[in-house]
Amino acid sequence: MRYSQTLIPTLKETPAEAEVVSHRLLLRAGFIRKLTAGIYTYLPMGLAAVRKVEQIVREEMNRAGAQELLMPMVQPADLWSETGRYEKYGPELLRFHDRHGRESCLGPTHEEVITDLARREIRSYRDLPINMYQIQTKFRDEIRPRFGLMRGREFIMKDAYSFDADDDAATKSYEIMYETYKKIFSRCGLEFRPVEADSGSIGGSFSHEFMVLADTGEDTLVICSSCDYAANSEKAAVAAPAVDESPMQDLEKVETPGKRKVNAVCEFMDIKASELVKTMVYKVDGGTVAVLVRGDREVQEVKLKNILGVADVEMADDKEVYDATGVPTGYLGPVGIKVKLLVDQEVAAMKNFVVGANEKNFHMRNVNIGRDFEAAEVADLRQISPEDPCPSCGATLTLKEGIEVGHVFKLGTGYSESMNAVFQDADGQDKHMVMGCYGIGVSRIVAAAIEQNHDENGMIFPMALAPVQVVLLNLGLKDAEITAAAESLYKDMQSQGVEVLFDDRDERPGFKFKDADLLGIPLRITVGKRLTKDGVIELRQRKDGTTEELSPEKIIERVLELIQTEMGHG
RNA sequence: CGGGGCAUAGCGCAGCCUGGUAGCGCGCCUGCCUUGGGAGCAGGAAGUCGGAGGUUCGAAUCCUCCUGUCCCGACCA
């Protein structure tokens, strides 16, 4: 493609809206433009990069035996009501009515549609297993879209769904996808980690996320320094601590005027935050619960959700806390509280701790579970910390930030039961299909790749994801010999299957170099005066600046060789 | 949904406090010049100052409401 005829609106200055590096560079390099919050147009270069990801995904999915199809984006509400998700999914599901007043929604995911297809078309165990996928635009009305392609409302996703006759077969399908995902992300040149994950609103029995390691990630990963344990911190189990066997001391009420925050109370009473227990009030499905965690810990809401079996938990605000308990925030405690009490296992092992007295300006000392209050339930409720031991081997843990680019779930029969997707097994019995689902954020991968591969001059694409493999600069537009050589090189490369962007613009050399760097194209060929003077053409690699000077006859051969090598090891 | 910004030419911003002819840089157009790391000179086009209402002789500027957008938070009482 000729640069002069392609829309690549690069910017010298960074648009004010961009915070993270991938967003900034995608805008500056003219890959994307924003239409409205969280919704972007992919310009030719951006789309080319997306297509590269799609191609890798497609090849690996097909190789794994999955079949591509394409499902509708607009879906009837009825279908979602069958699984109960029309009510449960929340405001992320964009709902609307068509002209006949039929309730509809934009598909954020396609379990309902695919299960509907499966129940209609799959009759026999002979039709199983089957794995179907699509690459499609999804819409999720995110609370807060941000960071460009990283968390958009409209985005491109590959979603696959497997159907099996029994649980063992479903596990096998899951494992195939797990391995396929590793290949896909490796080919994309990403540094990633599969981690144990919470299965979230999709539901299901177990799941893994594929995380690209990057500081701008929105998730926190827990990684063991010794064994191969890795998990999303939402999921990471905290080991139960040893029980403190100290004798119980007498309960004591202490006046703590105006001391509401953990820090203030600790300073005032001269104790450590680890000797205090805080009482956090949550709203859950219309009710209220209180959660006890140590003063220096954090409630892990995903764990709380899972233990309560609810779709959503939300911290109560000051007024809601007062309405539910009659106590102003800051002085809440478990002794005599009227709401259901969930106790973190760490607190259950503590003795003689400090809590709010359920009375303004008072706290209590030497509080003990069992004597002073009872727990409705004791469980692992807090966020894991770097001081905790590895849940698997006990070694030390590190926490890292990651971007979720893929997620695999073993769903079981939840959807097939609620939607009555059955097949007739070899024994003549109707059975529910066992499902799995597997997502990849295609557009997000482009952003993640840029987060991992860039420098002060711009993007640095791995060969596999680059919009084009080569950028060819003609620096001698007014020189007939140079221009003729560049033109012929352009044609020859095209005919040999090299993807090339030919910078034939009437611009100064510096300008072209800057744009070539910004676009992150792996190989740059410069045809200029050195051709007429020394008979050579320059070939430079974006990633490390390696430069070679070659004769026009040798250059394509060398380019093909480099492309081969680069694609070879991702 | 809560808090905080921001909204002035395609992009980045100044002007607003203290009301009185709308500005700068980049980009864009024309010409000259230049051509291996975002050149130089000269000329030029381009803005309902986000929208609606109000105050005023007069509003980009002050007031009210609305909209859009970005950031933080929506977990630590």
Side-chain angles (χ1 to χ4, degrees):
Chain A
M1 82 185 67
R2 286 174 185 270
Y3 205 133
S4 61
Q5 292 162 23
T6 311
L7 183 64
I8 310 176
T10 56
L11 305 169
K12 268 192 209 172
E13 286 171 291
T14 307
E17 68 199 52
E19 281 297 306
V20 302
V21 65
S22 64
H23 190 193
R24 274 204 302 270
L25 289 174
L26 283 163
L27 288 168
R28 278 198 59 209
F31 276 48
I32 60 169
R33 285 295 182 262
K34 185 178 69 178
L35 181 63
T36 183
I39 299 182
Y40 293 86
T41 296
Y42 298 89
L43 304 192
M45 284 293 116
L47 182 62
V50 167
R51 293 282 186 247
K52 287 295 180 76
V53 177
E54 288 180 357
Q55 193 49 36
I56 291 170
V57 169
R58 210 168 253 132
E59 283 172 19
E60 294 301 330
M61 289 300 292
N62 291 348
R63 187 173 309 182
Q67 307 167 40
E68 185 170 4
L69 45 62
L70 185 58
M71 290 180 268
M73 191 172 178
V74 173
Q75 307 178 10
D78 292 352
L79 205 51
W80 283 71
S81 295
E82 284 192 51
T83 55
R85 287 209 295 182
Y86 199 67
E87 292 69 37
K88 270 201 316 210
Y89 209 90
E92 253 183 55
L93 184 66
L94 184 64
R95 299 149 209 254
F96 57 95
H97 296 270
D98 68 13
R99 68 194 301 163
H100 302 293
R102 289 181 293 227
E103 274 193 83
S104 310
C105 57
L106 284 187
T109 176
H110 282 65
E111 283 78 15
E112 279 79 1
V113 177
I114 197 85
T115 307
D116 180 63
L117 181 75
R119 71 180 166 186
R120 290 169 191 274
E121 310 305 333
I122 295 173
R123 295 268 153 268
S124 157
Y125 72 98
R126 294 174 198 275
D127 300 328
L128 301 175
I130 189 168
N131 185 332
M132 293 172 279
Y133 75 97
Q134 64 174 345
I135 296 173
Q136 188 216 32
T137 297
K138 294 279 185 279
F139 192 91
R140 294 182 185 173
D141 202 358
E142 296 280 350
I143 310 176
R144 179 141 101 87
R146 57 178 148 186
F147 303 155
L149 294 189
M150 211 100 100
R151 180 170 296 280
R153 292 195 294 163
E154 193 175 296
F155 60 100
I156 300 168
M157 181 176 178
K158 187 279 313 184
D159 46 323
Y161 306 88
S162 65
F163 295 85
D164 280 282
D166 59 42
D167 201 67
D168 285 350
T171 301
K172 211 165 286 169
S173 293
Y174 182 92
E175 283 163 1
I176 291 169
M177 280 299 107
Y178 185 94
E179 292 305 319
T180 299
Y181 273 36
K182 288 207 285 194
K183 282 187 204 142
I184 290 171
F185 299 124
S186 298
R187 281 187 62 187
C188 289
L190 297 168
E191 190 194 336
F192 69 97
R193 219 37 231 240
V195 302
E196 289 179 21
D198 181 68
S199 42
S201 68
I202 300 272
S205 40
F206 61 86
S207 92
H208 287 86
E209 286 165 340
F210 289 79
M211 295 287 191
V212 165
L213 303 180
D215 293 338
T216 44
E218 296 185 288
D219 288 282
T220 302
L221 318 182
V222 181
I223 296 171
C224 180
S225 57
S226 165
C227 73
D228 59 3
Y229 178 84
N232 191 311
S233 69
E234 294 173 353
K235 167 88 178 177
V238 176
V243 175
D244 179 351
E245 302 291 0
S246 321
M248 295 189 194
Q249 295 174 29
D250 293 339
L251 190 62
E252 190 186 332
K253 192 160 142 184
V254 187
E255 187 166 9
T256 50
K259 309 296 178 193
R260 300 170 66 242
K261 302 266 183 187
V262 169
N263 285 346
V265 174
C266 289
E267 196 177 314
F268 184 79
M269 296 180 70
D270 194 26
I271 56 169
K272 286 181 285 200
S274 58
E275 298 172 79
L276 180 141
V277 168
K278 50 188 183 182
T279 306
M280 315 291 291
V281 177
Y282 284 86
K283 292 186 291 177
V284 287
D285 284 359
T288 311
V289 298
V291 181
L292 296 189
V293 293
R294 214 169 77 177
D296 55 342
R297 303 301 192 190
E298 298 173 11
V299 174
Q300 173 45 258
E301 290 188 0
V302 172
K303 291 181 179 177
L304 180 60
K305 274 188 223 178
N306 290 342
I307 280 156
L308 293 168
V310 298
D312 244 322
V313 299
E314 195 186 338
M315 271 197 78
D317 64 27
D318 288 0
K319 182 177 180 301
E320 289 161 341
V321 168
Y322 190 81
D323 290 348
T325 64
V327 181
T329 56
Y331 305 101
L332 279 169
V335 183
I337 199 165
K338 288 174 289 188
V339 300
K340 184 176 175 183
L341 257 188
L342 299 175
V343 177
D344 181 57
Q345 57 183 2
E346 184 176 47
V347 171
M350 289 168 69
K351 285 274 161 40
N352 304 317
F353 45 85
V354 170
V355 299
N358 286 330
E359 183 181 339
K360 189 171 180 181
N361 295 335
F362 286 95
H363 279 74
M364 284 177 170
R365 205 193 278 284
N366 298 330
V367 173
N368 286 286
I369 189 166
R371 181 188 71 181
D372 304 318
F373 67 95
E374 294 292 340
E377 191 166 351
V378 173
D380 171 16
L381 289 165
R382 72 169 168 90
Q383 169 83 22
I384 200 161
S385 78
E387 297 88 56
D388 286 305
C390 168
S392 174
C393 76
T396 55
L397 294 172
T398 51
L399 268 51
K400 284 191 174 161
E401 307 306 308
I403 302 164
E404 181 190 347
V405 289
H407 202 158
V408 293
F409 300 87
K410 193 168 161 219
L411 291 175
T413 53
Y415 289 93
S416 51
E417 280 172 29
S418 60
M419 294 184 66
N420 197 33
V422 296
F423 65 98
Q424 195 171 42
D425 208 349
D427 59 9
Q429 299 295 304
D430 276 357
K431 291 179 186 164
H432 288 109
M433 302 171 199
V434 186
M435 294 172 58
C437 76
Y438 318 93
I440 288 181
V442 171
S443 40
R444 187 182 276 182
I445 284 179
V446 175
I450 295 165
E451 290 291 333
Q452 276 192 347
N453 304 290
H454 65 270
D455 63 16
E456 64 283 1
N457 294 317
M459 307 171 172
I460 305 175
F461 275 107
M463 190 61 79
L465 297 194
V468 294
Q469 295 159 336
V470 176
V471 58
L472 170 65
L473 311 188
N474 176 6
L475 295 193
L477 227 70
K478 301 241 156 54
D479 183 313
E481 188 183 345
I482 293 170
T483 297
E487 288 284 347
S488 110
L489 192 53
Y490 173 53
K491 290 195 182 72
D492 290 348
M493 279 196 285
Q494 280 187 316
S495 67
Q496 298 209 37
V498 178
E499 300 162 1
V500 51
L501 174 66
F502 182 26
D503 194 344
D504 58 342
R505 295 175 299 171
D506 184 13
E507 292 289 353
R508 299 168 57 80
F511 205 90
K512 296 188 178 189
F513 288 138
K514 288 288 184 189
D515 274 342
D517 284 349
L518 183 58
L519 296 177
I521 296 164
L523 300 176
R524 186 186 81 193
I525 296 174
T526 308
V527 186
K529 280 212 173 107
R530 287 177 205 169
L531 177 68
T532 43
K533 225 190 307 171
D534 310 317
V536 295
I537 291 171
E538 182 195 271
L539 173 63
R540 182 185 163 96
Q541 298 190 43
R542 175 69 177 89
K543 65 171 193 279
D544 53 13
T546 311
T547 303
E548 5 184 354
E549 299 202 317
L550 298 157
S551 70
E553 296 75 40
K554 286 272 161 63
I555 196 136
I556 297 185
E557 189 186 332
R558 179 64 181 142
V559 164
L560 288 169
E561 185 181 301
L562 284 170
I563 291 171
Q564 197 63 40
T565 319
E566 287 282 316
M567 299 292 267
H569 52 69

mmCIF file of all heavy atoms in Angstrom, chain A residues 416-439:
data_model
loop_
_atom_site.group_PDB
_atom_site.id
_atom_site.type_symbol
_atom_site.label_atom_id
_atom_site.label_comp_id
_atom_site.label_asym_id
_atom_site.label_seq_id
_atom_site.Cartn_x
_atom_site.Cartn_y
_atom_site.Cartn_z
ATOM 1 N N SER A 416 -27.000 -25.585 29.868
ATOM 2 C CA SER A 416 -27.772 -26.594 29.155
ATOM 3 C C SER A 416 -28.974 -27.028 29.984
ATOM 4 O O SER A 416 -30.017 -27.386 29.427
ATOM 5 C CB SER A 416 -26.892 -27.789 28.778
ATOM 6 O OG SER A 416 -26.193 -28.271 29.893
ATOM 7 N N GLU A 417 -28.874 -26.945 31.301
ATOM 8 C CA GLU A 417 -30.036 -27.284 32.129
ATOM 9 C C GLU A 417 -31.091 -26.193 32.059
ATOM 10 O O GLU A 417 -32.270 -26.462 31.831
ATOM 11 C CB GLU A 417 -29.612 -27.528 33.581
ATOM 12 C CG GLU A 417 -29.039 -28.926 33.777
ATOM 13 C CD GLU A 417 -28.445 -29.122 35.160
ATOM 14 O OE1 GLU A 417 -28.921 -28.471 36.113
ATOM 15 O OE2 GLU A 417 -27.499 -29.922 35.269
ATOM 16 N N SER A 418 -30.673 -24.927 32.253
ATOM 17 C CA SER A 418 -31.689 -23.867 32.258
ATOM 18 C C SER A 418 -32.317 -23.706 30.879
ATOM 19 O O SER A 418 -33.449 -23.262 30.758
ATOM 20 C CB SER A 418 -31.098 -22.553 32.766
ATOM 21 O OG SER A 418 -30.040 -22.152 31.946
ATOM 22 N N MET A 419 -31.592 -24.079 29.815
ATOM 23 C CA MET A 419 -32.156 -23.923 28.479
ATOM 24 C C MET A 419 -32.565 -25.263 27.865
ATOM 25 O O MET A 419 -32.962 -25.321 26.704
ATOM 26 C CB MET A 419 -31.162 -23.205 27.570
ATOM 27 C CG MET A 419 -30.926 -21.776 28.031
ATOM 28 S SD MET A 419 -29.840 -20.855 26.915
ATOM 29 C CE MET A 419 -30.831 -20.775 25.432
ATOM 30 N N ASN A 420 -32.428 -26.283 28.676
ATOM 31 C CA ASN A 420 -32.835 -27.621 28.253
ATOM 32 C C ASN A 420 -32.158 -28.067 26.945
ATOM 33 O O ASN A 420 -32.810 -28.433 25.977
ATOM 34 C CB ASN A 420 -34.360 -27.714 28.119
ATOM 35 C CG ASN A 420 -34.824 -29.161 28.086
ATOM 36 O OD1 ASN A 420 -34.191 -30.009 28.733
ATOM 37 N ND2 ASN A 420 -35.879 -29.448 27.343
ATOM 38 N N ALA A 421 -30.842 -28.002 26.951
ATOM 39 C CA ALA A 421 -30.074 -28.467 25.792
ATOM 40 C C ALA A 421 -29.639 -29.898 26.076
ATOM 41 O O ALA A 421 -28.723 -30.140 26.859
ATOM 42 C CB ALA A 421 -28.864 -27.568 25.563
ATOM 43 N N VAL A 422 -30.332 -30.835 25.436
ATOM 44 C CA VAL A 422 -30.051 -32.241 25.707
ATOM 45 C C VAL A 422 -29.704 -32.986 24.415
ATOM 46 O O VAL A 422 -30.020 -32.530 23.325
ATOM 47 C CB VAL A 422 -31.259 -32.944 26.369
ATOM 48 C CG1 VAL A 422 -31.536 -32.343 27.729
ATOM 49 C CG2 VAL A 422 -32.490 -32.856 25.468
ATOM 50 N N PHE A 423 -29.068 -34.122 24.589
ATOM 51 C CA PHE A 423 -28.770 -34.995 23.451
ATOM 52 C C PHE A 423 -29.093 -36.412 23.908
ATOM 53 O O PHE A 423 -29.178 -36.683 25.114
ATOM 54 C CB PHE A 423 -27.291 -34.889 23.064
ATOM 55 C CG PHE A 423 -26.371 -35.404 24.125
ATOM 56 C CD1 PHE A 423 -25.851 -36.702 24.061
ATOM 57 C CD2 PHE A 423 -26.038 -34.622 25.227
ATOM 58 C CE1 PHE A 423 -25.016 -37.181 25.057
ATOM 59 C CE2 PHE A 423 -25.199 -35.100 26.228
ATOM 60 C CZ PHE A 423 -24.692 -36.376 26.145
ATOM 61 N N GLN A 424 -29.282 -37.271 22.948
ATOM 62 C CA GLN A 424 -29.542 -38.662 23.309
ATOM 63 C C GLN A 424 -28.213 -39.415 23.336
ATOM 64 O O GLN A 424 -27.475 -39.428 22.361
ATOM 65 C CB GLN A 424 -30.488 -39.296 22.294
ATOM 66 C CG GLN A 424 -31.062 -40.589 22.819
ATOM 67 C CD GLN A 424 -32.168 -41.100 21.916
ATOM 68 O OE1 GLN A 424 -32.054 -41.062 20.695
ATOM 69 N NE2 GLN A 424 -33.249 -41.575 22.524
ATOM 70 N N ASP A 425 -27.921 -40.008 24.473
ATOM 71 C CA ASP A 425 -26.639 -40.700 24.643
ATOM 72 C C ASP A 425 -26.725 -42.128 24.077
ATOM 73 O O ASP A 425 -27.807 -42.596 23.696
ATOM 74 C CB ASP A 425 -26.275 -40.734 26.138
ATOM 75 C CG ASP A 425 -24.767 -40.789 26.316
ATOM 76 O OD1 ASP A 425 -24.037 -41.008 25.323
ATOM 77 O OD2 ASP A 425 -24.301 -40.587 27.453
ATOM 78 N N ALA A 426 -25.591 -42.812 24.071
ATOM 79 C CA ALA A 426 -25.529 -44.166 23.501
ATOM 80 C C ALA A 426 -26.511 -45.110 24.200
ATOM 81 O O ALA A 426 -27.025 -46.060 23.604
ATOM 82 C CB ALA A 426 -24.103 -44.702 23.605
ATOM 83 N N ASP A 427 -26.792 -44.811 25.470
ATOM 84 C CA ASP A 427 -27.705 -45.674 26.216
ATOM 85 C C ASP A 427 -29.174 -45.310 25.995
ATOM 86 O O ASP A 427 -30.068 -45.824 26.657
ATOM 87 C CB ASP A 427 -27.362 -45.625 27.710
ATOM 88 C CG ASP A 427 -27.454 -44.220 28.271
ATOM 89 O OD1 ASP A 427 -27.949 -43.305 27.552
ATOM 90 O OD2 ASP A 427 -27.028 -43.996 29.409
ATOM 91 N N GLY A 428 -29.435 -44.393 25.076
ATOM 92 C CA GLY A 428 -30.814 -44.041 24.775
ATOM 93 C C GLY A 428 -31.403 -42.977 25.692
ATOM 94 O O GLY A 428 -32.542 -42.572 25.509
ATOM 95 N N GLN A 429 -30.634 -42.560 26.683
ATOM 96 C CA GLN A 429 -31.125 -41.563 27.638
ATOM 97 C C GLN A 429 -30.832 -40.142 27.158
ATOM 98 O O GLN A 429 -29.798 -39.902 26.536
ATOM 99 C CB GLN A 429 -30.442 -41.758 28.999
ATOM 100 C CG GLN A 429 -30.690 -43.111 29.641
ATOM 101 C CD GLN A 429 -32.156 -43.311 30.000
ATOM 102 O OE1 GLN A 429 -32.742 -42.504 30.715
ATOM 103 N NE2 GLN A 429 -32.760 -44.368 29.483
ATOM 104 N N ASP A 430 -31.741 -39.206 27.463
ATOM 105 C CA ASP A 430 -31.469 -37.792 27.220
ATOM 106 C C ASP A 430 -30.549 -37.269 28.318
ATOM 107 O O ASP A 430 -30.807 -37.489 29.503
ATOM 108 C CB ASP A 430 -32.780 -36.993 27.236
ATOM 109 C CG ASP A 430 -33.470 -37.045 25.873
ATOM 110 O OD1 ASP A 430 -32.892 -37.653 24.944
ATOM 111 O OD2 ASP A 430 -34.561 -36.461 25.744
ATOM 112 N N LYS A 431 -29.502 -36.584 27.915
ATOM 113 C CA LYS A 431 -28.584 -36.002 28.904
ATOM 114 C C LYS A 431 -28.267 -34.555 28.549
ATOM 115 O O LYS A 431 -28.337 -34.177 27.376
ATOM 116 C CB LYS A 431 -27.284 -36.807 28.947
ATOM 117 C CG LYS A 431 -27.477 -38.189 29.534
ATOM 118 C CD LYS A 431 -26.190 -38.969 29.552
ATOM 119 C CE LYS A 431 -26.493 -40.404 30.021
ATOM 120 N NZ LYS A 431 -25.376 -41.310 29.713
ATOM 121 N N HIS A 432 -27.926 -33.787 29.563
ATOM 122 C CA HIS A 432 -27.545 -32.381 29.311
ATOM 123 C C HIS A 432 -26.128 -32.302 28.772
ATOM 124 O O HIS A 432 -25.231 -32.998 29.259
ATOM 125 C CB HIS A 432 -27.664 -31.558 30.596
ATOM 126 C CG HIS A 432 -29.089 -31.322 30.989
ATOM 127 N ND1 HIS A 432 -29.661 -31.941 32.082
ATOM 128 C CD2 HIS A 432 -30.053 -30.558 30.424
ATOM 129 C CE1 HIS A 432 -30.923 -31.557 32.166
ATOM 130 N NE2 HIS A 432 -31.189 -30.728 31.173
ATOM 131 N N MET A 433 -25.948 -31.438 27.794
ATOM 132 C CA MET A 433 -24.603 -31.238 27.253
ATOM 133 C C MET A 433 -23.747 -30.537 28.307
ATOM 134 O O MET A 433 -24.228 -29.679 29.036
ATOM 135 C CB MET A 433 -24.670 -30.362 26.011
ATOM 136 C CG MET A 433 -25.554 -30.946 24.927
ATOM 137 S SD MET A 433 -25.773 -29.735 23.618
ATOM 138 C CE MET A 433 -27.237 -30.402 22.827
ATOM 139 N N VAL A 434 -22.476 -30.922 28.323
ATOM 140 C CA VAL A 434 -21.550 -30.290 29.272
ATOM 141 C C VAL A 434 -20.751 -29.238 28.500
ATOM 142 O O VAL A 434 -20.129 -29.555 27.486
ATOM 143 C CB VAL A 434 -20.614 -31.327 29.904
ATOM 144 C CG1 VAL A 434 -19.768 -30.674 30.989
ATOM 145 C CG2 VAL A 434 -21.429 -32.477 30.491
ATOM 146 N N MET A 435 -20.798 -28.014 28.995
ATOM 147 C CA MET A 435 -20.266 -26.905 28.203
ATOM 148 C C MET A 435 -18.979 -26.305 28.759
ATOM 149 O O MET A 435 -18.652 -26.437 29.935
ATOM 150 C CB MET A 435 -21.319 -25.783 28.093
ATOM 151 C CG MET A 435 -22.556 -26.189 27.308
ATOM 152 S SD MET A 435 -23.850 -24.936 27.397
ATOM 153 C CE MET A 435 -23.000 -23.498 26.729
ATOM 154 N N GLY A 436 -18.274 -25.630 27.845
ATOM 155 C CA GLY A 436 -17.137 -24.802 28.229
ATOM 156 C C GLY A 436 -17.194 -23.549 27.385
ATOM 157 O O GLY A 436 -17.782 -23.571 26.303
ATOM 158 N N CYS A 437 -16.641 -22.441 27.866
ATOM 159 C CA CYS A 437 -16.569 -21.275 26.993
ATOM 160 C C CYS A 437 -15.216 -20.604 27.143
ATOM 161 O O CYS A 437 -14.566 -20.686 28.193
ATOM 162 C CB CYS A 437 -17.733 -20.318 27.215
ATOM 163 S SG CYS A 437 -17.599 -19.335 28.684
ATOM 164 N N TYR A 438 -14.803 -19.954 26.067
ATOM 165 C CA TYR A 438 -13.402 -19.542 25.937
ATOM 166 C C TYR A 438 -13.312 -18.209 25.206
ATOM 167 O O TYR A 438 -13.687 -18.132 24.031
ATOM 168 C CB TYR A 438 -12.631 -20.616 25.157
ATOM 169 C CG TYR A 438 -12.997 -22.032 25.573
ATOM 170 C CD1 TYR A 438 -14.002 -22.741 24.901
ATOM 171 C CD2 TYR A 438 -12.383 -22.641 26.663
ATOM 172 C CE1 TYR A 438 -14.371 -24.020 25.295
ATOM 173 C CE2 TYR A 438 -12.742 -23.926 27.066
ATOM 174 C CZ TYR A 438 -13.736 -24.607 26.381
ATOM 175 O OH TYR A 438 -14.100 -25.870 26.785
ATOM 176 N N GLY A 439 -12.859 -17.190 25.866
ATOM 177 C CA GLY A 439 -12.825 -15.867 25.243
ATOM 178 C C GLY A 439 -11.405 -15.341 25.042
ATOM 179 O O GLY A 439 -10.493 -15.657 25.811
#
